[in-house]
Amino acid sequence: MSDLTETSIAVVCFSNFRQQQAKAFCQLNKLPLLNKKDSQYPLQLLFHDDLIELFDSQLNTSISIDFLKGAMAHRQQFGGGRGQAIAKAIGLKSGITPTVLDTTAGLAGDAFVLATLGCPITLVERSPVLFCLLDNALERATLNAVFEPISQQGFRIISQDANDYINEQQSKQQPPPDVIYIDPMYPERKKSALVKKDMQILQRLHGHNDDAGSLLNNALLFAKKRVVVKRPAHAETLNEKKPNTCIKSKKTRYDIYTIEKML
Ligand SMILES: C[S@@+](CC[C@H](N)C(=O)[O-])C[C@H]1O[C@@H](n2cnc3c(N)ncnc32)[C@H](O)[C@@H]1O
């Protein structure tokens, strides 16, 4: 997403402390800076002293990211550990904890699960608005000692298009990650009630025009051991490319493209 103004986003800053940050963000992304909410903007990025959240004026709800509370913490405690489908798809086994490049960070739900299972992970997000939410979540989490082990093992968030990031890494001859993970926006559903509110907001922010096909091609040239693509259970494969194997859960399928055996 290069032109945020197309989706009518404004930034609303309620914080003196974040005034400079909000101003710089608006200048960089050519967005209006307000000091109170204005319903003419369907999406509003709200800067508070600590929290930054994305408010959807049509749904009258906000999304923000918290690595230490709510859904993320719950999944860390009760999510099923290395037995859950995503962990199997990435190739986690006893004694095997691969490094991961998550090319479609989004709200970092998947990345955080992998991080809590011990994977050093780099997240790449091309939307400046989502990157702002992610960066703020990381800023708040790093104030808490509980997050220390995850920081230590490696949890980096990059604001860039993942195709560009991969090309850059290759041209600098950087070591490849063991696994590259791709979770493109799902194809549009007719019944929007079926889509969770946070995903509805993401869809409003991005639409569905992901370039996931080129991401798969690039990832296959860079990953050391495998590329994993998350798809809806019955969706077609990316680029109509047959995976080596799949791991299925009720609504989701992980297509695994093997490059080298996970030892
Ligand atoms: C379905 S969401 C990912 C959700 C994420 N797995 C989670 O658990 O929250 C897809 C995200 O990928 C981002 N994205 C899509 N293509 C990208 C690309 N080429 N480079 C970086 N980010 C990309 C979109 O901006 C969007 O935030």
Side-chain angles (χ1 to χ4, degrees), residues 17 72-73 77 85 99 113 118 126 130 136 161 166 168 200:
F17 166 66
M72 295 246 201
Q77 251 187 308
T99 55
V113 167
R126 70 177 169 192
L130 275 174
N136 173 251
D161 185 287
I166 291 175
E168 250 177 53
Q200 281 186 49

Side-chain angles (χ1 to χ4, degrees), residues 184-200:
M185 297 299 290
Y186 281 9
E188 199 154 10
R189 291 233 191 99
K190 291 208 171 65
K191 290 185 199 159
S192 64
L194 290 175
V195 182
K196 282 194 210 152
K197 275 200 174 165
D198 52 2
M199 275 302 142
Q200 281 186 49

Side-chain angles (χ1 to χ4, degrees), residues 1 72 75 102-111 124-127 130 160-164 181 183-186 199 202 205-206 210-212 214-215 230:
M1 188 186 55
M72 295 246 201
R75 190 154 171 207
D102 179 351
T103 57
T104 50
L107 299 173
D110 293 332
V124 186
E125 175 52 58
R126 70 177 169 192
S127 153
L130 275 174
Q160 196 174 11
D161 185 287
N163 278 310
D164 296 341
Y181 181 68
D183 174 15
M185 297 299 290
Y186 281 9
M199 275 302 142
L202 288 199
L205 191 57
H206 304 299
D210 280 51
D211 50 355
S214 63
L215 209 42
K230 183 177 182 180

Side-chain angles (χ1 to χ4, degrees), residues 62-226:
S62 294
I63 49 172
S64 59
I65 304 171
D66 198 325
F67 295 125
L68 305 173
K69 282 195 268 181
M72 295 246 201
H74 185 269
R75 190 154 171 207
Q76 179 179 5
Q77 251 187 308
F78 306 108
R82 291 183 172 225
Q84 58 195 304
I86 187 170
K88 288 189 193 155
I90 294 295
L92 283 149
K93 286 188 199 143
S94 120
I96 298 182
T97 309
T99 55
V100 180
L101 171 64
D102 179 351
T103 57
T104 50
L107 299 173
D110 293 332
F112 190 65
V113 167
L114 297 172
T116 59
L117 296 174
C119 296
I121 188 160
T122 300
L123 297 77
V124 186
E125 175 52 58
R126 70 177 169 192
S127 153
V129 169
L130 275 174
F131 176 76
C132 186
L133 297 182
L134 289 162
D135 195 44
N136 173 251
L138 192 57
E139 175 192 307
R140 283 178 286 114
T142 43
L143 296 175
N144 195 316
V146 176
F147 197 74
E148 186 68 21
I150 290 182
S151 292
Q152 289 288 326
Q153 91 200 359
F155 190 86
R156 288 194 313 143
I157 311 177
I158 312 264
S159 176
Q160 196 174 11
D161 185 287
N163 278 310
D164 296 341
Y165 177 78
I166 291 175
N167 291 338
E168 250 177 53
Q169 294 296 299
Q170 283 175 308
S171 66
K172 290 185 197 156
Q173 299 188 333
Q174 290 298 310
D178 293 323
V179 181
I180 296 186
Y181 181 68
I182 307 173
D183 174 15
M185 297 299 290
Y186 281 9
E188 199 154 10
R189 291 233 191 99
K190 291 208 171 65
K191 290 185 199 159
S192 64
L194 290 175
V195 182
K196 282 194 210 152
K197 275 200 174 165
D198 52 2
M199 275 302 142
Q200 281 186 49
I201 300 180
L202 288 199
Q203 283 173 357
R204 208 191 299 276
L205 191 57
H206 304 299
H208 301 273
N209 54 345
D210 280 51
D211 50 355
S214 63
L215 209 42
L216 175 59
N217 291 338
N218 259 332
L220 286 168
L221 295 173
F222 186 47
K224 192 168 171 208
K225 298 195 167 160
R226 64 173 66 172

